PDB file of all heavy atoms in Angstrom:
ATOM      1  N   ARG A  35       0.194   8.723  11.635  1.00  0.00           N
ATOM      2  CA  ARG A  35      -0.096   8.075  10.354  1.00  0.00           C
ATOM      3  C   ARG A  35       0.646   6.749  10.250  1.00  0.00           C
ATOM      4  O   ARG A  35       0.067   5.735   9.841  1.00  0.00           O
ATOM      5  CB  ARG A  35       0.321   9.014   9.233  1.00  0.00           C
ATOM      6  CG  ARG A  35      -0.046   8.544   7.880  1.00  0.00           C
ATOM      7  CD  ARG A  35       0.263   9.619   6.876  1.00  0.00           C
ATOM      8  NE  ARG A  35       0.826   8.987   5.702  1.00  0.00           N
ATOM      9  CZ  ARG A  35       1.509   9.594   4.782  1.00  0.00           C
ATOM     10  NH1 ARG A  35       1.743  10.869   4.883  1.00  0.00           N
ATOM     11  NH2 ARG A  35       1.965   8.959   3.751  1.00  0.00           N
ATOM     12  N   SER A  36       1.896   6.727  10.652  1.00  0.00           N
ATOM     13  CA  SER A  36       2.665   5.482  10.642  1.00  0.00           C
ATOM     14  C   SER A  36       2.071   4.479  11.627  1.00  0.00           C
ATOM     15  O   SER A  36       1.976   3.287  11.318  1.00  0.00           O
ATOM     16  CB  SER A  36       4.117   5.755  11.009  1.00  0.00           C
ATOM     17  OG  SER A  36       4.684   6.669  10.125  1.00  0.00           O
ATOM     18  N   PHE A  37       1.677   4.961  12.781  1.00  0.00           N
ATOM     19  CA  PHE A  37       1.084   4.086  13.796  1.00  0.00           C
ATOM     20  C   PHE A  37      -0.236   3.493  13.298  1.00  0.00           C
ATOM     21  O   PHE A  37      -0.486   2.291  13.474  1.00  0.00           O
ATOM     22  CB  PHE A  37       0.878   4.876  15.085  1.00  0.00           C
ATOM     23  CG  PHE A  37       0.327   4.075  16.219  1.00  0.00           C
ATOM     24  CD1 PHE A  37       1.055   3.051  16.785  1.00  0.00           C
ATOM     25  CD2 PHE A  37      -0.940   4.344  16.717  1.00  0.00           C
ATOM     26  CE1 PHE A  37       0.555   2.310  17.834  1.00  0.00           C
ATOM     27  CE2 PHE A  37      -1.450   3.614  17.759  1.00  0.00           C
ATOM     28  CZ  PHE A  37      -0.699   2.595  18.321  1.00  0.00           C
ATOM     29  N   ILE A  38      -1.071   4.293  12.665  1.00  0.00           N
ATOM     30  CA  ILE A  38      -2.358   3.805  12.160  1.00  0.00           C
ATOM     31  C   ILE A  38      -2.138   2.815  11.027  1.00  0.00           C
ATOM     32  O   ILE A  38      -2.832   1.790  10.949  1.00  0.00           O
ATOM     33  CB  ILE A  38      -3.247   4.990  11.730  1.00  0.00           C
ATOM     34  CG1 ILE A  38      -3.712   5.739  12.977  1.00  0.00           C
ATOM     35  CG2 ILE A  38      -4.447   4.524  10.923  1.00  0.00           C
ATOM     36  CD1 ILE A  38      -4.434   7.029  12.698  1.00  0.00           C
ATOM     37  N   ARG A  39      -1.169   3.073  10.162  1.00  0.00           N
ATOM     38  CA  ARG A  39      -0.865   2.097   9.102  1.00  0.00           C
ATOM     39  C   ARG A  39      -0.404   0.769   9.704  1.00  0.00           C
ATOM     40  O   ARG A  39      -0.766  -0.293   9.214  1.00  0.00           O
ATOM     41  CB  ARG A  39       0.216   2.647   8.182  1.00  0.00           C
ATOM     42  CG  ARG A  39      -0.295   3.619   7.194  1.00  0.00           C
ATOM     43  CD  ARG A  39       0.784   3.992   6.231  1.00  0.00           C
ATOM     44  NE  ARG A  39       0.267   4.954   5.272  1.00  0.00           N
ATOM     45  CZ  ARG A  39       1.002   5.563   4.390  1.00  0.00           C
ATOM     46  NH1 ARG A  39       2.299   5.335   4.335  1.00  0.00           N
ATOM     47  NH2 ARG A  39       0.469   6.417   3.556  1.00  0.00           N
ATOM     48  N   TRP A  40       0.392   0.832  10.756  1.00  0.00           N
ATOM     49  CA  TRP A  40       0.854  -0.392  11.421  1.00  0.00           C
ATOM     50  C   TRP A  40      -0.326  -1.143  12.027  1.00  0.00           C
ATOM     51  O   TRP A  40      -0.399  -2.367  11.922  1.00  0.00           O
ATOM     52  CB  TRP A  40       1.876  -0.025  12.493  1.00  0.00           C
ATOM     53  CG  TRP A  40       2.346  -1.188  13.288  1.00  0.00           C
ATOM     54  CD1 TRP A  40       3.229  -2.163  12.898  1.00  0.00           C
ATOM     55  CD2 TRP A  40       1.946  -1.531  14.614  1.00  0.00           C
ATOM     56  NE1 TRP A  40       3.414  -3.074  13.901  1.00  0.00           N
ATOM     57  CE2 TRP A  40       2.633  -2.713  14.969  1.00  0.00           C
ATOM     58  CE3 TRP A  40       1.087  -0.953  15.531  1.00  0.00           C
ATOM     59  CZ2 TRP A  40       2.473  -3.326  16.201  1.00  0.00           C
ATOM     60  CZ3 TRP A  40       0.933  -1.565  16.763  1.00  0.00           C
ATOM     61  CH2 TRP A  40       1.612  -2.724  17.077  1.00  0.00           C
ATOM     62  N   ILE A  41      -1.256  -0.412  12.638  1.00  0.00           N
ATOM     63  CA  ILE A  41      -2.438  -1.051  13.233  1.00  0.00           C
ATOM     64  C   ILE A  41      -3.273  -1.717  12.155  1.00  0.00           C
ATOM     65  O   ILE A  41      -3.734  -2.860  12.325  1.00  0.00           O
ATOM     66  CB  ILE A  41      -3.275  -0.016  14.017  1.00  0.00           C
ATOM     67  CG1 ILE A  41      -2.553   0.413  15.281  1.00  0.00           C
ATOM     68  CG2 ILE A  41      -4.644  -0.581  14.379  1.00  0.00           C
ATOM     69  CD1 ILE A  41      -3.216   1.555  16.015  1.00  0.00           C
ATOM     70  N   ILE A  42      -3.480  -1.048  11.035  1.00  0.00           N
ATOM     71  CA  ILE A  42      -4.270  -1.625   9.949  1.00  0.00           C
ATOM     72  C   ILE A  42      -3.550  -2.823   9.346  1.00  0.00           C
ATOM     73  O   ILE A  42      -4.179  -3.839   9.031  1.00  0.00           O
ATOM     74  CB  ILE A  42      -4.580  -0.544   8.889  1.00  0.00           C
ATOM     75  CG1 ILE A  42      -5.542   0.480   9.479  1.00  0.00           C
ATOM     76  CG2 ILE A  42      -5.164  -1.164   7.633  1.00  0.00           C
ATOM     77  CD1 ILE A  42      -5.771   1.687   8.610  1.00  0.00           C
ATOM     78  N   HIS A  43      -2.238  -2.734   9.201  1.00  0.00           N
ATOM     79  CA  HIS A  43      -1.459  -3.852   8.662  1.00  0.00           C
ATOM     80  C   HIS A  43      -1.572  -5.084   9.558  1.00  0.00           C
ATOM     81  O   HIS A  43      -1.653  -6.203   9.070  1.00  0.00           O
ATOM     82  CB  HIS A  43       0.007  -3.434   8.500  1.00  0.00           C
ATOM     83  CG  HIS A  43       0.888  -4.520   7.995  1.00  0.00           C
ATOM     84  ND1 HIS A  43       0.818  -4.983   6.705  1.00  0.00           N
ATOM     85  CD2 HIS A  43       1.851  -5.252   8.605  1.00  0.00           C
ATOM     86  CE1 HIS A  43       1.693  -5.956   6.546  1.00  0.00           C
ATOM     87  NE2 HIS A  43       2.345  -6.129   7.686  1.00  0.00           N
ATOM     88  N   ARG A  44      -1.600  -4.862  10.862  1.00  0.00           N
ATOM     89  CA  ARG A  44      -1.738  -5.986  11.803  1.00  0.00           C
ATOM     90  C   ARG A  44      -3.182  -6.424  11.977  1.00  0.00           C
ATOM     91  O   ARG A  44      -3.465  -7.358  12.712  1.00  0.00           O
ATOM     92  CB  ARG A  44      -1.163  -5.610  13.159  1.00  0.00           C
ATOM     93  CG  ARG A  44       0.309  -5.318  13.096  1.00  0.00           C
ATOM     94  CD  ARG A  44       1.105  -5.656  14.291  1.00  0.00           C
ATOM     95  NE  ARG A  44       0.488  -6.390  15.345  1.00  0.00           N
ATOM     96  CZ  ARG A  44       0.822  -7.624  15.686  1.00  0.00           C
ATOM     97  NH1 ARG A  44       1.746  -8.250  15.011  1.00  0.00           N
ATOM     98  NH2 ARG A  44       0.246  -8.212  16.692  1.00  0.00           N
ATOM     99  N   LYS A  45      -4.089  -5.722  11.335  1.00  0.00           N
ATOM    100  CA  LYS A  45      -5.529  -5.997  11.400  1.00  0.00           C
ATOM    101  C   LYS A  45      -6.041  -5.919  12.834  1.00  0.00           C
ATOM    102  O   LYS A  45      -6.850  -6.735  13.276  1.00  0.00           O
ATOM    103  CB  LYS A  45      -5.851  -7.336  10.763  1.00  0.00           C
ATOM    104  CG  LYS A  45      -5.543  -7.363   9.293  1.00  0.00           C
ATOM    105  CD  LYS A  45      -5.903  -8.664   8.662  1.00  0.00           C
ATOM    106  CE  LYS A  45      -5.509  -8.576   7.188  1.00  0.00           C
ATOM    107  NZ  LYS A  45      -5.638  -9.812   6.498  1.00  0.00           N
ATOM    108  N   ALA A  46      -5.556  -4.937  13.561  1.00  0.00           N
ATOM    109  CA  ALA A  46      -5.986  -4.701  14.943  1.00  0.00           C
ATOM    110  C   ALA A  46      -7.050  -3.603  14.951  1.00  0.00           C
ATOM    111  O   ALA A  46      -6.862  -2.523  15.493  1.00  0.00           O
ATOM    112  CB  ALA A  46      -4.796  -4.325  15.806  1.00  0.00           C
ATOM    113  N   LEU A  47      -8.174  -3.900  14.328  1.00  0.00           N
ATOM    114  CA  LEU A  47      -9.225  -2.904  14.210  1.00  0.00           C
ATOM    115  C   LEU A  47      -9.855  -2.583  15.557  1.00  0.00           C
ATOM    116  O   LEU A  47     -10.380  -1.488  15.757  1.00  0.00           O
ATOM    117  CB  LEU A  47     -10.275  -3.367  13.214  1.00  0.00           C
ATOM    118  CG  LEU A  47      -9.754  -3.527  11.785  1.00  0.00           C
ATOM    119  CD1 LEU A  47     -10.856  -4.031  10.865  1.00  0.00           C
ATOM    120  CD2 LEU A  47      -9.203  -2.218  11.276  1.00  0.00           C
ATOM    121  N   LEU A  48      -9.817  -3.515  16.487  1.00  0.00           N
ATOM    122  CA  LEU A  48     -10.350  -3.258  17.814  1.00  0.00           C
ATOM    123  C   LEU A  48      -9.539  -2.151  18.511  1.00  0.00           C
ATOM    124  O   LEU A  48     -10.118  -1.251  19.121  1.00  0.00           O
ATOM    125  CB  LEU A  48     -10.317  -4.544  18.652  1.00  0.00           C
ATOM    126  CG  LEU A  48     -11.139  -4.567  19.911  1.00  0.00           C
ATOM    127  CD1 LEU A  48     -12.608  -4.437  19.582  1.00  0.00           C
ATOM    128  CD2 LEU A  48     -10.888  -5.851  20.663  1.00  0.00           C
TER     129      LEU A  48
END
Side-chain angles (χ1 to χ4, degrees):
R35 186 173 139 198
S36 302
F37 182 66
I38 289 172
R39 281 187 180 173
W40 176 76
I41 290 172
I42 292 172
H43 178 71
R44 297 212 8 113
K45 296 182 181 172
L47 297 178
L48 195 64

